[in-house]
Amino acid sequence: MINLAEEMRGVKSVAISGHIRPDGDCVGACLAVYNYIREQYPDVEAQVYLDPIPQVFSFLKGADEICLVRDREKKYDLFMGLDSGDKQRLGESLCYFETAGRTLCIDHHISNQGYAGKNYIVPEASSTSELVFGILEEEKISREVAEALYVGIVHDTGVFQYSCTSPATMETAGKLMGKGIDFTRIIDDTFY
């Protein structure tokens, strides 16, 4: 288990990225971490890099701030790879992974062999978004961060019907619902 507060010590810049062709869990986990860092660490330069995301996720806070890789010379103190089973699946953002001061991977894919300097890989988890929930300070999770995490969990569990759904998944979803998210709209608009 990791703690984001510990990982952020001394960090002035952070790049966040996920796998190519991002799905709901990838988008949700990346935007949740991005928004949480922007809210809780306003002095840290944070940027999220993803391939173009599906339009159904554009309502999430920060979706309009996702960047494509342009300045390949940019260096970050910390690179966070989320929901990516290996570093090649980071796509264009691999250049930032390769030059970052420290690297962190948070993932739930059983195939992940631990490509970062520090790895938090739990194959039994329903989603990377469920893992991200566990590394944040629950009382500091805003409604916008909760929305992103809920999107990720809903998409990787097939709206809680896949076998990866556990009691812990349902407990996490309940806590996110308690943050005031419009969970029925999220499911209707992004999954169905």
Side-chain angles (χ1 to χ4, degrees):
M1 180 74 161
I2 65 165
N3 177 297
L4 186 62
E6 291 174 15
E7 299 303 321
M8 292 299 294
R9 282 197 188 113
V11 170
K12 300 286 186 220
S13 62
V14 60
I16 302 152
S17 188
H19 62 72
I20 55 175
R21 295 181 300 282
D23 60 5
D25 186 29
C26 180
V27 173
C30 288
L31 287 177
V33 170
Y34 173 69
N35 288 319
Y36 186 88
I37 290 172
R38 297 284 307 264
E39 294 165 6
Q40 301 303 318
Y41 303 91
D43 295 334
V44 173
E45 174 195 354
Q47 189 57 64
V48 62
Y49 295 95
L50 289 172
D51 287 351
I53 65 171
Q55 184 64 29
V56 295
F57 305 128
S58 64
F59 75 96
L60 292 171
K61 182 180 177 186
D64 59 339
E65 298 169 27
I66 294 172
C67 287
L68 298 174
V69 172
R70 288 198 171 77
D71 179 5
R72 294 183 174 277
E73 303 303 312
K74 178 97 175 115
K75 291 183 175 44
Y76 290 92
D77 294 335
L78 176 64
F79 181 98
M80 296 180 67
L82 306 176
D83 199 39
S84 185
D86 62 65
K87 67 181 184 179
Q88 281 67 41
R89 292 203 26 93
L90 294 169
E92 294 291 316
S93 65
L94 181 61
C95 62
Y96 302 133
F97 173 88
E98 299 288 357
T99 60
R102 291 187 294 118
T103 57
L104 172 64
C105 169
I106 302 171
D107 189 29
H108 71 119
H109 293 101
I110 196 165
S111 60
N112 193 321
Q113 298 297 305
Y115 59 86
K118 192 167 200 179
N119 298 280
Y120 180 46
I121 303 163
V122 183
E124 301 79 33
S126 70
S127 58
T128 297
S129 294
E130 183 178 335
L131 296 175
V132 167
F133 175 83
I135 70 166
L136 306 179
E137 294 179 66
E138 187 178 334
E139 66 279 1
K140 293 181 179 178
I141 294 175
S142 66
R143 184 181 56 79
E144 292 81 9
V145 171
E147 284 178 334
L149 292 173
Y150 194 81
V151 162
I153 292 170
V154 162
H155 280 262
D156 260 23
T157 62
V159 190
F160 310 108
Q161 64 182 334
Y162 299 158
S163 62
C164 63
T165 305
S166 69
T169 307
M170 299 305 288
E171 184 178 336
T172 299
K175 289 177 179 179
L176 295 171
M177 291 166 64
K179 296 289 184 176
I181 65 172
D182 189 348
F183 56 92
T184 54
R185 181 186 59 81
I186 289 172
I187 292 171
D188 287 344
D189 291 355
T190 70
F191 194 83
Y192 293 114

